């Protein structure tokens, strides 16, 4: 990581807000546990992704442990603009994490949307949507202590059953200096129910800062439709990009070129086998038969995967 970080320091950090001022819908790769790491970010950037997030990092661990920093965060000079997403519940801890990361990333995002029980039990994630003053305090601390005015501070939220509470949260965050807000259009209890795009539209209409829509976009057409439905300034995609990292470039399913690119990038980055293989399982979901999946999904080494891809797809 240190080599990567030194190299990054010499590169030009970017202002993510420039994307939102470009007049185009900003296409964003979501923070995904285990998956939105450097190698995958490198891949989606080749296919028209404008902005990438790291997986969520627990700020307290990141501040406390050099080992956590080394395992949780790697980057390089091509990995920009980059947002580091933190889970935090104390203003100074988030601020300390932001100060450590600020020379190497273009902004931080506070996770106020993770619905997993462990996160909410610890006071992280989605429970923060019920604590607007704490969110304000955390944003304010970071804004006051990071010197770089181009460093973005954003939040990612879920919605309340009573949308007025969400609008209130967003307006309070905006007043404190949040750069933009990403809205996953489901409540904390909802998992696979339809996304409330009308709620995202209402939030967008009540804000002057950019709003990013998140939830259930599988194709570029879906993303364009959500933009039109909500008026959102950006679209953030998770599972859709896992299934098809070339989605933002307009491909309906993962092209073989993208699979080849993933193999090359993953090997170059020394991606652990399980991660390398899982990404391919996602990417090939739509283009393989049930029988092929049975064979491919139980392969247990990089060489076996490479042989299979070469024999069946010429990759």
């Amino acid at each position: 990581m240190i080599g990567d970080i030194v190299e990054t320091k010499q590169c030009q950090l970017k202002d993510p807000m420039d994307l939102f001022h470009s007049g185009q819908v900003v296409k964003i790769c979501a923070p995904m546990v285990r998956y939105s790491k450097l190698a995958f970010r490198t891949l989606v950037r080749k296919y028209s992704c404008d902005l990438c997030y790291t997986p969520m990092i627990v700020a307290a661990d990141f501040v406390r442990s050099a080992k956590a920093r080394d395992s949780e965060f790697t980057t390089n000079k091509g990995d920009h603009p980059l947002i580091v997403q933190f889970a935090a519940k104390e203003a100074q801890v988030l601020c300390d994490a932001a100060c450590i990361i600020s020379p190497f990333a273009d902004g931080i995002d506070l996770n106020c949307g993770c619905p997993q029980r462990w996160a909410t039990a610890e006071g992280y994630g989605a429970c923060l949507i019920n604590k607007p003053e704490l969110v304000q305090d955390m944003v304010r601390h970071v804004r006051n202590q990071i010197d770089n005015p181009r460093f973005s501070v954003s939040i990612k939220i879920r919605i309340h059953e009573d949308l007025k509470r969400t609008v209130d949260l967003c307006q309070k965050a905006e007043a404190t200096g949040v750069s933009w807000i990403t809205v996953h259009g489901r409540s904390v209890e909802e998992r696979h129910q339809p996304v409330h795009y009308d709620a995202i539209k209402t939030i967008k209409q009540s804000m002057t800062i950019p709003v990013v829509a998140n939830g259930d976009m599988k194709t570029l057409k879906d993303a364009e439709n959500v933009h039109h439905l909500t008026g959102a300034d950006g679209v953030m995609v998770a599972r859709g990009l896992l299934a098809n990292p070339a989605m933002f470039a307009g491909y309906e399913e993962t092209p073989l070129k993208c699979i080849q690119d993933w193999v090359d990038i993953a090997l170059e980055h020394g991606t652990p086998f399980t991660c390398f293989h899982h990404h391919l399982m996602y990417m090939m979901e739509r283009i393989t038969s049930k029988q092929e999946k049975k064979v491919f999904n139980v392969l247990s080494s990089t060489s076996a995967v490479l042989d299979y891809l070469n024999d069946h797809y010429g990759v």
Side-chain angles (χ1 to χ4, degrees), residues 241-265:
L241 280 174
L242 278 184
N244 178 8
M247 173 190 143
F248 283 144
Y251 291 91
E252 291 292 312
E253 57 188 31
T254 311
L256 288 180
K257 173 75 170 75
C258 183
I259 291 172
Q260 179 70 67
D261 286 336
W262 171 245
V263 169
D264 295 343
I265 290 165

Side-chain angles (χ1 to χ4, degrees), residues 3 6-7 25 51 54 80 112-113 126 128 132 138 187 239 274 299 314:
V6 169
E7 187 184 13
V25 183
L51 179 63
T54 66
H80 294 278
C112 304
L128 291 176
M138 289 197 271
S187 69
R239 284 174 300 187
T274 303
L299 296 175

Side-chain angles (χ1 to χ4, degrees), residues 52-268:
C52 290
Y53 281 52
T54 66
M56 181 182 78
I57 299 169
V58 176
D61 296 343
F62 190 82
V63 169
R64 192 169 48 236
S65 159
K67 189 177 173 190
R69 291 196 286 278
D70 286 350
S71 67
E72 295 285 342
F73 179 74
T74 50
T75 189
N76 60 29
K77 63 184 178 184
D79 188 30
H80 294 278
L82 176 65
I83 305 301
V84 178
Q85 191 188 63
F86 284 115
K89 57 184 174 181
E90 295 161 301
Q92 194 53 52
V93 173
L94 178 64
C95 195
D96 291 346
C99 288
I100 292 168
I101 214 77
S102 62
F104 316 116
D106 305 285
I108 63 151
D109 183 80
L110 174 62
N111 185 316
C112 304
C114 177
Q116 291 182 32
R117 279 211 187 91
W118 76 265
T120 53
E122 292 283 332
Y124 299 134
C127 66
L128 291 176
I129 64 172
N130 299 316
K131 301 175 180 176
E133 285 75 21
L134 176 57
V135 172
Q136 280 187 296
D137 194 34
M138 289 197 271
V139 172
R140 195 179 289 117
H141 262 71
V142 177
R143 275 275 173 251
N144 289 344
Q145 291 184 43
I146 299 275
D147 291 336
N148 178 6
R150 293 162 65 85
F151 190 80
S152 67
V153 182
S154 56
I155 62 174
K156 183 171 188 285
I157 66 169
R158 282 185 171 238
I159 59 173
H160 297 86
E161 298 289 347
D162 175 3
L163 198 58
K164 287 201 220 48
R165 295 179 65 199
T166 315
V167 170
D168 178 63
L169 166 72
C170 292
Q171 288 175 338
K172 282 178 170 156
E174 177 177 11
T176 320
V178 153
S179 307
W180 69 85
I181 295 175
T182 300
V183 184
H184 181 95
R186 291 186 176 101
S187 69
V188 178
E189 290 75 30
E190 292 175 320
R191 292 294 185 274
H192 304 293
Q193 291 89 335
V195 177
H196 302 285
Y197 295 119
D198 54 334
I200 301 176
K201 179 180 182 178
T202 299
I203 293 163
K204 170 61 191 164
Q205 288 172 340
S206 68
M207 312 295 292
T208 59
I209 56 171
V211 169
V212 173
N214 174 225
D216 274 8
M217 287 170 265
K218 303 287 195 307
T219 64
L220 183 59
K221 191 92 187 92
D222 287 348
E224 288 166 353
N225 288 342
V226 168
H227 164 63
H228 291 305
L229 275 171
T230 63
D233 306 273
V235 289
M236 177 184 281
V237 177
R239 284 174 300 187
L241 280 174
L242 278 184
N244 178 8
M247 173 190 143
F248 283 144
Y251 291 91
E252 291 292 312
E253 57 188 31
T254 311
L256 288 180
K257 173 75 170 75
C258 183
I259 291 172
Q260 179 70 67
D261 286 336
W262 171 245
V263 169
D264 295 343
I265 290 165
L267 294 180
E268 184 190 332

